[in-house]
Amino acid sequence: MLTDNKSIAIVGGGPGGLTLARLLQLKNANVKVYERDLNKNARVQGSPLDMHEGSGMDALRAADLLDEFKKNYRPGADKALIVNEHAEIVFSDHETKPDEDFGNEHFRPEIDRGPLRNMLLDSLQPETVVWDSHFISMEA
C-alpha cells in the first residue's frame, strides 16, 4: 500500500482536512492534522453545510461515517420556501420533498459545522490533530 510507512501532514482541520485524515487512517496511514485553533472548542463553527451526492456524501460513505451523519444532520433543512414581498408563498417543496432520501442525486441533507467537526474528530485516532499550529512555510 502506498501509505504504509509514510508520515502524512494535513494543514487545516476543516471538514476537508479531517475527512482526508479519516480516509487515510482507514488505509493505515500515519497522519497528523495541523490546525491553528487553540483546541476543538476554540470558536463557534460557521453556517451549515449541505452534502451532495458525488462529493460530500460519497466522502462520508468512504469514511464509513454515514450512520453517524444520519444521527447528526438536520432533516428537512434542504427544503425550499420562496415568498413574495407580502410574505405570500410563491413556491414550496415542503409537501413533496421527503425529509430523508439518501442516495437520491437531488437530496442535499444539511448538517451544522459543529456536529460535523465533532463527528469527524471523534472518528480519528487520538492525538491526530495538533492544535494551535500555524502554517508558516514549507521546506523540502
Side-chain angles (χ1 to χ4, degrees):
M1 174 72 47
L2 292 174
T3 57
D4 288 348
N5 301 314
K6 300 284 193 284
S7 294
I8 301 168
I10 298 172
V11 177
L18 295 176
T19 302
L20 177 59
R22 166 71 176 176
L23 292 168
L24 289 167
Q25 285 183 346
L26 288 173
K27 300 290 186 186
N28 297 315
N30 178 19
V31 179
K32 290 289 183 190
V33 177
Y34 296 90
E35 169 55 42
R36 69 179 173 186
D37 284 348
L38 185 61
N39 59 47
K40 75 177 204 167
N41 300 312
R43 63 186 168 91
V44 174
Q45 298 300 299
S47 62
L49 290 174
D50 58 326
M51 307 300 274
H52 297 226
E53 291 295 331
S55 59
M57 291 305 300
D58 287 358
L60 290 173
R61 281 187 191 91
D64 196 25
L65 292 173
L66 187 58
D67 288 339
E68 196 61 31
F69 176 82
K70 287 179 178 182
K71 295 176 191 174
N72 290 283
Y73 86 106
R74 302 174 69 200
D78 65 323
K79 293 181 180 181
L81 184 67
I82 300 172
V83 297
N84 65 16
E85 65 273 7
H86 304 291
E88 298 165 333
I89 298 173
V90 177
F91 172 82
S92 172
D93 64 1
H94 287 230
E95 300 301 320
T96 59
K97 197 169 193 180
D99 282 344
E100 184 176 309
D101 198 5
F102 287 94
N104 182 315
E105 67 177 313
H106 301 293
F107 182 53
R108 295 184 172 113
E110 290 189 9
I111 186 167
D112 290 323
R113 287 177 188 256
L116 177 62
R117 186 183 208 191
N118 290 337
M119 179 183 80
L120 291 166
L121 287 170
D122 290 345
S123 75
L124 298 174
Q125 296 168 6
E127 309 301 319
T128 296
V129 179
V130 181
W131 299 101
D132 197 21
S133 298
H134 299 261
F135 183 76
I136 306 294
S137 67
M138 183 170 65
E139 297 177 20

